[in-house]
Amino acid sequence: MAKESRISLFDLTTGLSETVDLVNPAWVNHHMQVAYIAFSLSEELGLSMEEKSDLVLAGALHDIGCYCRAEKMDLLKFESELPHEHEELGYLFLNEFKPFSSIANLIRFHHVRWDEKNKIQKSGKKVPYGSYILHIADRVSILINKQEEILGQVDSICEKITAQSGKMFMPELVDAFVKLAEKEYFWLEATSSLLYVILSGRVKMPSISLDMEHLVSFSKVFSRIVDFRSAFFATHSAGVAATAEKLAQFAGFSKQECQWMKIAGYVHDIGMLVVPIELLEKEEPLTEEEFGIIHKHPFYTHLILKSIAAFKDIVSWASYHHETLSGTGYPFHVKEDNLPLGARILAVANVFTSLTEIRPYRNKFSDETIHEELKKLGEESKLDPNIVSALLLHFNEINSARIAAQDEAKEKYLKTECILLHFEQ
């Protein structure tokens, strides 16, 4: 495992963008479509390559902070009615990852109407020019009906956009859009399933060197997208990451490998985005069909991480965290001989952390019960008994590390809750 990874910002972003799309099936390809429309507008306007690149990244991630179900549906309306709390949450998440700090501000204001910009300016904030571009690109995307032939929709889309010139949208951008809309290729590309290929061939986006600190920071962004959907799971990945890192140390992993183990802990549940939060918070026993939905999540974790070159060394660790030594786990049914040590560690870390947490249908377990449950699972070959023994031998140290990590995550979660509360009032 290399000390630093040379990574394309475009590839890093599209991997995260595909993850966000999993939250709502109605959003499939929406983020990349907004990225493409914003890029095309920036070309029409003659912006610099740096400005174009930032708009592509921001477009691909513009709704990363959207958790509220009502807001998700509201965003699919041309003139949305609810306050846009997801803008501030998106800014909060991305601003902490240095390579994304330049686009965080674009996302923070991407729903500001042109005729309401003075309200923002009076509060001492400035709406970036790129935010207005994102806004019109986002609304054009919403107007596209995926069930109908695109060229037949052009006139009606243009009418709705031009009717909002000087109101919802900056007049200069409406004029640029109308010129762009005359070109059939723009619409054919905007509705293509090959937007990744189209954009990757046109956007000159640099590769950057990410050290371990940046990779850990990026993995935290992933975990918060998943975990912050529910108070019951808000600190889960943080606890798994801290536990897995400690277990890796006791298993003889190098310092760098322990960091990768922490990253695997943060991203192991990214596939949970396909699972409706209603199932995770259900108090009654799950049906067979509902269990089937939950059992999909490691597969999607595998699919997402496999597409991000930076994480290629830990895909199996994160994807196999529900596999067992006997091959009775899910969804790959990997048996002992093919189950990496990293995956075994993560499986123990995941079960241990879950047992310490409150769930809708139960309280957290006592330390004594946790010991008993882990031993039982080890004896049944559902968990690696050697990893279980290591955890129990160093229980206090590992548990303290877990608590500290989850306390830190809880503080961050409560900050997002304050933002949500502010918008609801």
Side-chain angles (χ1 to χ4, degrees):
M1 296 182 178
K3 290 183 179 180
E4 283 199 352
S5 299
R6 194 79 187 165
I7 299 168
S8 162
L9 261 182
F10 183 73
D11 289 342
L12 202 64
T13 302
T14 51
L16 192 51
S17 177
E18 289 172 359
T19 301
V20 177
D21 278 350
L22 291 175
V23 176
N24 189 339
W27 280 0
V28 172
N29 222 31
H30 170 66
H31 290 85
M32 290 307 295
Q33 189 173 70
V34 171
Y36 170 79
I37 297 171
F39 175 78
S40 299
L41 278 169
S42 66
E43 281 200 311
E44 190 72 31
L45 293 161
L47 301 189
S48 69
M49 182 51 70
E50 182 180 357
E51 290 170 311
K52 293 176 188 176
S53 297
D54 280 352
L55 279 167
V56 168
L57 295 180
L61 298 175
H62 68 282
D63 283 336
I64 194 173
C66 191
Y67 291 142
C68 173
R69 192 184 306 108
E71 187 178 8
K72 290 174 193 172
M73 300 312 298
D74 187 63
L75 289 175
L76 296 175
K77 302 175 184 176
F78 180 62
E79 293 192 62
S80 52
E81 300 164 357
L82 299 176
H84 298 117
E85 59 200 36
H86 74 284
E87 293 174 293
E88 194 66 26
L89 289 179
Y91 169 79
L92 184 67
F93 290 155
L94 295 178
N95 197 46
E96 292 189 6
F97 180 57
K98 192 173 180 181
F100 285 160
S101 58
S102 64
I103 68 169
N105 219 40
L106 296 181
I107 290 172
R108 191 179 197 180
F109 300 105
H110 77 272
H111 277 290
V112 174
R113 292 173 56 103
W114 173 248
D115 57 7
E116 293 182 350
K117 61 185 183 299
N118 290 336
K119 292 181 182 178
I120 302 295
Q121 292 170 348
K122 284 179 181 178
S123 67
K125 300 172 185 175
K126 183 179 180 181
V127 181
Y129 183 63
S131 294
Y132 294 121
I133 296 176
L134 275 183
H135 188 199
I136 192 170
D138 183 37
R139 296 299 91 188
V140 169
S141 176
I142 291 301
L143 289 173
I144 295 174
N145 187 332
K146 296 177 183 178
Q147 309 305 317
E148 296 180 7
E149 196 280 317
I150 184 58
L151 296 181
Q153 302 178 54
V154 173
D155 288 346
S156 63
I157 292 174
C158 287
E159 285 176 11
K160 287 182 180 178
I161 295 297
T162 54
Q164 292 295 328
S165 181
K167 301 173 186 175
M168 189 182 292
F169 309 120
M170 180 188 287
E172 173 187 341
L173 301 185
V174 173
D175 293 342
F177 167 72
V178 170
K179 290 180 182 178
L180 185 62
E182 294 173 355
K183 304 167 185 177
E184 289 87 352
Y185 87 88
F186 162 73
W187 295 102
L188 298 175
E189 287 190 339
T191 54
S192 168
S193 60
L194 301 174
L195 283 172
Y196 172 86
V197 177
I198 293 168
L199 282 170
S200 63
R202 292 184 194 167
V203 182
K204 294 182 176 66
M205 205 166 291
S207 292
I208 58 172
S209 290
L210 289 184
D211 58 20
M212 191 57 69
E213 183 180 350
H214 280 119
L215 286 170
V216 170
S217 176
F218 181 66
S219 68
K220 285 183 179 180
V221 174
F222 263 78
S223 71
R224 289 166 186 163
I225 295 172
V226 182
D227 292 356
F228 283 15
R229 294 187 299 157
S230 168
F232 290 104
F233 296 89
T235 68
H236 176 69
S237 293
V240 173
T243 302
E245 181 184 21
K246 277 293 183 182
L247 284 172
Q249 290 174 11
F250 294 124
F253 280 36
S254 69
K255 183 177 179 181
Q256 185 182 347
E257 288 172 329
C258 288
Q259 289 293 293
W260 279 112
M261 199 71 246
K262 179 196 285 188
I263 290 171
Y266 275 123
V267 302
H268 77 287
D269 264 350
I270 192 65
M272 273 292 189
L273 285 172
V274 303
V275 180
I277 200 62
E278 293 85 0
L279 291 191
L280 299 178
E281 295 187 340
K282 188 177 178 183
E283 295 181 8
E284 302 80 19
L286 297 179
T287 65
E288 186 175 343
E289 181 182 353
E290 289 168 340
F291 270 119
I293 293 171
I294 288 178
H295 285 185
K296 292 178 182 179
H297 81 270
F299 170 77
Y300 281 97
T301 291
H302 179 85
L303 209 61
I304 294 162
L305 297 183
K306 195 176 178 182
S307 69
I308 303 175
F311 293 153
K312 63 183 176 63
D313 292 320
I314 62 167
V315 173
S316 62
W317 294 359
S319 305
Y320 295 167
H321 69 277
H322 281 292
E323 304 297 327
T324 66
L325 300 183
S326 59
T328 57
Y330 65 88
F332 301 101
H333 292 266
V334 179
K335 294 185 177 180
E336 182 174 357
D337 290 346
N338 295 313
L339 197 57
L341 181 57
R344 301 179 191 205
I345 289 173
L346 201 56
V348 173
N350 181 55
V351 172
F352 166 66
T353 303
S354 296
L355 293 174
T356 67
E357 296 172 317
I358 296 173
R359 290 290 181 262
Y361 49 87
R362 63 158 171 82
N363 256 319
K364 62 182 179 181
F365 293 106
S366 66
D367 288 355
E368 182 181 354
T369 303
I370 291 172
H371 278 70
E372 292 173 358
E373 187 65 21
L374 290 174
K375 281 181 182 178
K376 178 186 174 186
L377 292 171
E379 291 166 359
E380 295 173 349
S381 293
K382 292 182 179 177
L383 294 176
D384 188 320
N386 295 321
I387 307 300
V388 169
S389 295
L391 190 150
L392 297 180
L393 181 63
H394 303 280
F395 184 87
N396 290 337
E397 183 178 346
I398 292 172
N399 199 37
S400 294
R402 175 196 63 80
I403 291 170
Q406 291 191 297
D407 283 347
E408 181 184 343
K410 184 177 181 180
E411 183 178 344
K412 184 65 65 176
Y413 171 71
L414 291 176
K415 185 181 289 187
T416 67
E417 284 294 282
C418 286
I419 291 172
L420 294 175
L421 186 62
H422 169 75
F423 277 90
E424 287 171 2
Q425 291 176 341

